Amino acid sequence: MKASSISFGRVIAVSGKQKKMDKVNKKLLPYAKTGKVMIKDVSYYYKNASPVGEMAQAAQRGESIDIYITGNDINKIKEKQTGWRSIRDILVNIEDYFSANDMFVSEVVDKIVKKS
């Protein structure tokens, strides 16, 4: 798989069963190796959270929750810009969230690497 360029910056959260998330992350590995996507597992932030939000409910069902950071937002993290210094800071910048459980792996990858 050739990693195409990603010029935009976004933070996307995705939840799903561990097996599916492993497949998604494997497909995104070429992007991660070239620095075009940063992948962070944030399941632990939501496992003991109030079950009000969708991500907290997914974590409490035993699903994995990963965030995917792309483009210029990766530079903000590397440069430790204000509002991008910790996982908690990054979580505030989530633009989109979706569940991977009812999607094909390729659809999940496309949502992460292509500007919608």
Side-chain angles (χ1 to χ4, degrees):
M1 167 186 241
K2 183 178 182 255
S4 60
S5 65
I6 299 173
S7 58
F8 53 93
R10 298 186 305 160
V11 179
I12 300 170
V14 180
S15 67
K17 295 178 182 173
Q18 188 63 53
K19 190 174 179 179
K20 169 100 29 124
M21 296 304 291
D22 289 344
K23 289 178 182 179
V24 168
N25 290 339
K26 185 177 179 182
K27 288 275 191 186
L28 288 170
L29 192 58
Y31 296 96
K33 284 184 176 180
T34 59
K36 294 182 171 126
V37 173
M38 186 180 286
I39 303 167
K40 300 281 185 190
D41 180 353
V42 295
S43 305
Y44 57 93
Y45 275 96
Y46 293 98
K47 282 190 180 175
N48 297 316
S50 170
V52 175
E54 291 179 68
M55 289 191 287
Q57 290 172 4
Q60 291 167 8
R61 286 191 304 268
E63 294 180 15
S64 179
I65 301 171
D66 291 341
I67 57 171
Y68 301 90
I69 304 112
T70 64
N72 295 331
D73 288 349
I74 293 173
N75 294 332
K76 293 174 186 175
I77 293 167
K78 288 180 178 178
E79 295 169 4
K80 297 188 187 264
Q81 291 183 9
T82 303
W84 294 89
R85 294 183 180 155
S86 70
I87 292 293
R88 287 189 188 275
D89 289 343
I90 296 167
L91 292 176
V92 171
N93 291 290
I94 291 174
E95 281 187 31
D96 200 5
Y97 162 76
F98 56 92
S99 172
N101 290 332
D102 298 324
M103 300 173 69
F104 293 112
V105 170
S106 60
E107 289 177 303
V108 176
V109 171
D110 284 347
K111 282 185 170 270
I112 294 166
V113 298
K114 293 183 180 176
K115 190 171 187 175
S116 18

